[in-house]
Amino acid sequence: MRVKHKKWAAPLMEAHPELITLDPASFKGRWQERFEKSQPLQIEVGMGKGQFIIGMAKAHPEINFIGLEIEQTVAAIALKHALPERLPNLTLICGDGAGLDTYFEDGSIDRMYLNFSDPWPKTRHEKRRLTYKSFLANYQKVVKPGGGLEFKTDNQGLFEYSLTSLNNFGMVFDGVWLNLHESPENEGNVETEYEQRFAGLGQPIYKLTAHFPGE
Ligand SMILES: C[S@@+](CC[C@H](N)C(=O)[O-])C[C@H]1O[C@@H](n2cnc3c(N)ncnc32)[C@H](O)[C@@H]1O
């Protein structure tokens, strides 16, 4: 998500250390202290402006959620949206999904979400795709045995790439939907900002759920 750099972004984040951190490695091993209760932990990598992760935290008070976003201004917009909600089961990170193993202890996350990740269509940018094998290896470390990954996108090319990448990595698919909004899987679906936009244009939404081998 590209947005214009805003001067207020960094100061706003610095003013709200109770809800967002720019130094996620400093919380390694103690993320549960960021929440009112110790509960299962789920994370979205690339939360954008936070619509999905805030919606999930409202819909599932029995789960703790972390939204992670690399772009400072985008993360600050998510923070702006989250602040008035005062959700005891949500915390945010401004950081890089490539650093998950430096932010989280092995096996500490129950479920991961990737929603409408940047497609990086050029082959020379493959390593930047959030479903590239080096990212999957990183996710595998931090996700609990038995925990899984959910991925939604409107982008057919990225979806096909991700199916192949996860399959080559040895991940086990639990479900694949080629038109989420027309399927029973859509019940209870929390829409992301991009999902609303593309579904509104009549585009099908693709979804897969999978878990790592040996689980
Ligand atoms: C296309 S937007 C989708 C936002 C949101 N998930 C949605 O569905 O509305 C993808 C977001 O992922 C973020 N992103 C890309 N690479 C990332 C990374 N390595 N770590 C964290 N966030 C990343 C981008 O900055 C962007 O805000």
Side-chain angles (χ1 to χ4, degrees):
M1 184 175 291
R2 303 282 167 263
V3 297
K4 254 176 118 177
H5 174 77
K6 302 277 188 221
K7 269 199 217 147
W8 51 262
L12 182 74
M13 289 193 284
E14 278 153 22
H16 290 285
E18 78 288 1
L19 187 49
I20 193 161
T21 179
L22 291 107
D23 181 18
S26 67
F27 289 100
K28 190 170 183 173
R30 45 189 201 97
W31 283 101
Q32 293 290 352
E33 294 171 18
R34 304 275 291 158
F35 304 100
E36 197 173 270
K37 292 184 221 161
S38 190
Q39 315 187 103
L41 187 62
Q42 302 191 354
I43 180 168
E44 181 186 14
V45 175
M47 70 170 159
K49 297 176 187 168
Q51 176 172 318
F52 173 81
I53 206 73
I54 294 169
M56 288 293 279
K58 283 183 179 171
H60 299 284
E62 74 288 1
I63 297 170
N64 289 335
F65 291 94
I66 298 180
L68 182 145
E69 170 56 49
I70 197 167
E71 293 285 338
Q72 284 216 357
T73 301
V74 180
I77 295 171
L79 171 64
K80 258 192 172 179
H81 292 147
L83 276 169
E85 303 288 350
R86 298 177 158 273
L87 293 161
N89 60 333
L90 175 68
T91 194
L92 307 177
I93 296 174
C94 183
D96 186 347
L100 280 194
D101 59 340
T102 60
Y103 309 160
F104 295 96
E105 284 193 321
D106 287 2
S108 58
I109 294 173
D110 290 86
R111 200 157 188 80
M112 288 195 48
Y113 300 92
L114 302 175
N115 292 316
F116 299 80
S117 307
D118 296 327
W120 295 110
K122 291 184 180 147
T123 308
R124 67 187 160 89
H125 291 146
E126 181 190 4
K127 289 181 182 167
R128 298 184 190 178
R129 297 177 195 154
L130 294 185
T131 48
Y132 182 66
K133 60 186 175 190
S134 61
F135 278 97
L136 299 180
N138 212 323
Y139 305 157
Q140 185 175 29
K141 281 170 89 176
V142 298
V143 170
K144 273 192 183 124
L149 178 82
E150 296 199 11
F151 175 59
K152 291 194 282 188
T153 184
D154 64 300
N155 188 300
Q156 188 182 342
L158 181 66
F159 193 66
E160 288 171 356
Y161 169 84
S162 302
L163 285 170
T164 305
S165 182
L166 269 61
N167 186 55
N168 289 345
F169 195 79
M171 289 188 75
V172 181
F173 292 98
D174 301 307
V176 174
W177 296 268
L178 301 182
N179 193 344
L180 172 64
H181 290 194
E182 297 297 323
S183 80
E185 176 70 7
N186 198 41
E187 193 171 334
N189 178 46
V190 173
E191 291 191 359
T192 82
E193 187 187 345
Y194 272 60
E195 182 173 0
Q196 268 181 344
R197 190 187 301 172
F198 291 117
L201 296 171
Q203 289 181 221
I205 303 302
Y206 305 98
K207 175 175 178 178
L208 67 81
T209 58
H211 61 272
F212 289 99
E215 292 164 3

